[in-house]
Amino acid sequence: MVEFAPEVIDTIIRASALLGAGFAMIAGIGPGIGQGYAAGKAVESVARDPEARGNIITTMLLGQAVAESTGIYSLVIAIVLIFTI
Amino acid sequence: MNPGPQTITHLFGKSYLPVTDTLIIGWVSVILIIILAKYLTSDLKLRPEGKQNIAELFITAVYDQIEPMIEGEGWKFLPFIATIFIYIGFSNLIGLVPGVPSPTADLNTTLGLALVVFLVSHFEGMRDKGIWGYIKSFGQPVIFLLPLNVVGELAKPISHSFRLFGNIVGGGIIITLIYQAAPGLIPVPLHAWFDLFIGLIQALIFGMVAIAYIAVAKQ
């Protein structure tokens, strides 16, 4: 059994927390794809019916905001991991 | 570097009553909004001109957002929703002043606002459906989904508040990093993006989601 000095253990904990923050932000892929898909569909709808542009943009923003939630959760977790440990 | 709200002083010298900079800026922005509103609505005329046009344009725009989603009760919810729009929009814009943190970059502010929306939506649901109908609405469509519905309702204020908080704090951290790496004029366009565009869009989204929560609770 290898005994580590306390400073080494602290460094390992800090390094793991920073690595974890990086891994947490992988969740940013999902909202990116989702928001892009919503924006693309909105462009299609506006091209088909330019009259309803205002309504489509409002609905798109609302849907994108909800799709963004998971990305924001991972961002908050990453911030907590970076700044509290 | 600590991105959170900084404690400036303690109320009455008690350690459990901290006064943070975001709290002070929040109160300052409330006072500024009151002065602005008093100025815009002073000497109202039947035929609007000048500053009254600005106020009426804003009120009509908010009303047009509420009315399609909560039919027939647009004027009833207008003061509540318009207050959310103005306060969050103003709080995000005040972050443009160098050295002044946005009050919305503090989870206490956003969670407070989200809890107010949560309470209003459930109170309206209770009043529309009656107590028994309100309780029964958690067992829809089958009674086995009751725990899922309760957890889903409790998750609403959390996601609602974290969305605004995360957007503003994330933008603030990126701007701070750019300021350290490249001072001068380089971060200025980033302020335009993160404070002006994201700030106003997030205020719009917070209000729209609040309208959607109230509309869902009333059905």
Side-chain angles (χ1 to χ4, degrees):
Chain A
M1 189 72 191
V2 187
E3 285 288 322
F4 287 113
E7 308 90 68
V8 178
I9 293 175
D10 274 359
T11 312
I12 291 173
I13 289 174
R14 177 142 182 82
S16 320
L18 292 177
L19 268 176
F23 282 131
M25 285 316 291
I26 293 175
I29 296 172
I33 295 173
Q35 290 185 336
Y37 193 73
K41 285 289 181 191
V43 169
E44 279 178 19
S45 320
V46 172
R48 195 173 300 147
D49 184 7
E51 298 273 306
R53 189 162 172 275
N55 276 334
I56 290 168
I57 287 181
T58 316
T59 316
M60 180 194 79
L61 284 176
L62 204 62
Q64 287 186 330
V66 175
E68 204 181 30
S69 300
T70 50
I72 295 295
Y73 293 156
S74 75
L75 176 70
V76 170
I77 289 170
I79 290 173
V80 167
L81 277 175
I82 291 174
F83 288 107
T84 56
I85 297 198
Chain B
M1 182 177 123
N2 180 9
Q6 317 289 325
T7 305
I8 289 179
T9 177
H10 292 278
L11 200 61
F12 309 127
K14 305 258 172 47
S15 61
Y16 55 87
L17 289 173
V19 177
T20 55
D21 50 356
T22 48
L23 184 65
I24 293 170
I25 302 295
W27 277 102
V28 168
S29 54
V30 166
I31 293 165
L32 287 177
I33 290 167
I34 291 174
I35 294 170
L36 186 70
K38 280 279 176 202
Y39 169 71
L40 285 179
T41 56
S42 64
D43 115 75
L44 293 175
K45 295 194 193 74
L46 200 58
R47 294 178 64 186
E49 55 186 42
K51 57 189 196 251
Q52 193 185 341
N53 272 327
I54 302 170
E56 287 194 2
L57 192 69
F58 175 75
I59 292 298
T60 327
V62 176
Y63 176 78
D64 287 343
Q65 299 295 328
I66 305 173
E67 186 59 31
M69 293 179 83
I70 312 174
E71 270 163 36
E73 292 187 276
W75 291 116
K76 184 183 162 194
F77 288 101
L78 180 70
F80 178 54
I81 303 294
T83 307
I84 289 179
F85 274 125
I86 298 173
Y87 181 66
I88 295 178
F90 200 88
S91 303
N92 293 342
L93 287 183
I94 215 169
L96 276 172
V97 183
V100 174
S102 293
T104 38
D106 185 350
L107 190 56
N108 298 308
T109 313
T110 57
L111 192 59
L113 288 166
L115 282 178
V116 171
V117 172
F118 177 76
L119 289 179
V120 166
S121 69
H122 280 258
F123 180 73
E124 285 297 324
M126 241 180 259
R127 200 160 68 176
D128 259 37
K129 291 183 276 200
I131 298 289
W132 181 238
Y134 169 75
I135 296 170
K136 257 204 307 198
S137 72
F138 282 100
Q140 298 292 339
V142 272
I143 191 71
F144 305 110
L145 290 176
L146 180 89
L148 277 179
N149 283 332
V150 171
V151 171
E153 283 299 320
L154 291 178
K156 273 181 180 178
I158 297 174
S159 77
H160 200 186
S161 58
F162 269 79
R163 187 174 304 130
L164 178 60
F165 168 74
N167 269 291
I168 305 300
V169 166
I173 288 177
I174 291 173
I175 288 180
T176 315
L177 289 177
I178 301 287
Y179 263 116
Q180 287 174 352
L185 286 176
I186 298 169
V188 171
L190 287 172
H191 269 296
W193 172 260
F194 284 113
D195 285 338
L196 282 179
F197 182 69
I198 297 280
L200 290 178
I201 288 282
Q202 286 305 318
L204 173 73
I205 283 170
F206 197 96
M208 292 295 297
V209 172
I211 299 170
Y213 283 168
I214 295 172
V216 166
K218 283 170 81 70
Q219 279 163 14

